[in-house]
Amino acid sequence: MNTAVTIRNANLDDAALLAELGWKTFYETFAPLNNEADVKLYVDKNFTTERLIQELEDPHAIFLIAQAGDTVAGYAKLRTQLNPDAPPDTVSIELERIYSDRDFLGKSVGKTLMQASIDLAKQRGCDTLWLGVWEFNPRAIAFYEKWGFEKFSSHPFLLGTDLQTDLLYKKKLT
């Protein structure tokens, strides 16, 4: 059975759900490729209900939830706040997270979330959507490049106690 993926805006009532899905998807994606203790340190700090409540209350954060029928299949988080890593000379918005539950990989969740993120960025008058992606995540890099993102820089990313490198990609929207 093929269920259409729909997008809705998240609210405070979704904090526990987002925390659980963020923890699960991040852990499943990165634990096999990293020191498990570092991944656990990161997810235990960044994907708690309390932390997600704070993020949902942040006026610069926008959360989009992807649903397949009644099942939450993934989510995206965008940030409107100025960031020193943003591409220079742009009116931009950051796609800080885009996560799909493993059971829904290849079922248009990422595609639907990406299109909704692009549409939202355009509605807000942005000319650029940008993001950071771990340099050793070829599946995600290929996904972003398929959408027309181009590498423009990099920055450090601390995973637990392991200092890693995220590649920064941007997509022109105009």
Side-chain angles (χ1 to χ4, degrees), residues 84-106:
D85 290 318
D89 303 321
T90 63
V91 178
S92 62
I93 188 169
E94 179 184 8
L95 180 56
E96 187 176 305
R97 295 181 198 142
I98 183 167
Y99 296 157
S100 177
D101 188 290
R102 180 178 279 175
D103 294 340
F104 291 93
L105 290 176

Side-chain angles (χ1 to χ4, degrees), residues 110-127:
K111 177 182 172 185
T112 305
L113 281 168
M114 181 60 78
Q115 189 60 61
S117 297
I118 290 168
D119 293 346
L120 185 132
K122 287 179 177 179
Q123 289 166 8
R124 290 179 169 257
C126 296
D127 60 26

Side-chain angles (χ1 to χ4, degrees), residues 51-171:
R51 178 73 176 252
L52 267 293
I53 288 170
Q54 290 173 349
E55 291 182 15
L56 284 160
E57 289 176 334
D58 180 348
H60 299 289
I62 304 153
F63 284 84
L64 304 174
I65 294 178
Q67 290 194 203
D70 292 334
T71 305
V72 173
Y75 79 91
K77 177 187 178 188
L78 294 99
R79 288 196 52 78
T80 60
Q81 189 173 32
L82 290 177
N83 183 314
D85 290 318
D89 303 321
T90 63
V91 178
S92 62
I93 188 169
E94 179 184 8
L95 180 56
E96 187 176 305
R97 295 181 198 142
I98 183 167
Y99 296 157
S100 177
D101 188 290
R102 180 178 279 175
D103 294 340
F104 291 93
L105 290 176
K107 297 182 180 174
S108 295
V109 171
K111 177 182 172 185
T112 305
L113 281 168
M114 181 60 78
Q115 189 60 61
S117 297
I118 290 168
D119 293 346
L120 185 132
K122 287 179 177 179
Q123 289 166 8
R124 290 179 169 257
C126 296
D127 60 26
T128 305
L129 180 63
W130 71 281
L131 56 88
V133 58
W134 186 39
E135 65 182 332
F136 298 117
N137 190 347
R139 180 185 179 113
I141 291 169
F143 175 78
Y144 301 135
E145 289 177 348
K146 182 178 175 183
W147 278 89
F149 283 82
E150 298 175 344
K151 183 180 175 220
F152 71 93
S153 189
S154 64
H155 71 180
F157 178 84
L158 187 61
L159 180 70
T161 62
D162 183 16
L163 189 59
Q164 301 184 349
T165 300
D166 273 2
L167 305 176
L168 301 181
Y169 278 76
K170 66 181 177 180
K171 176 179 176 60

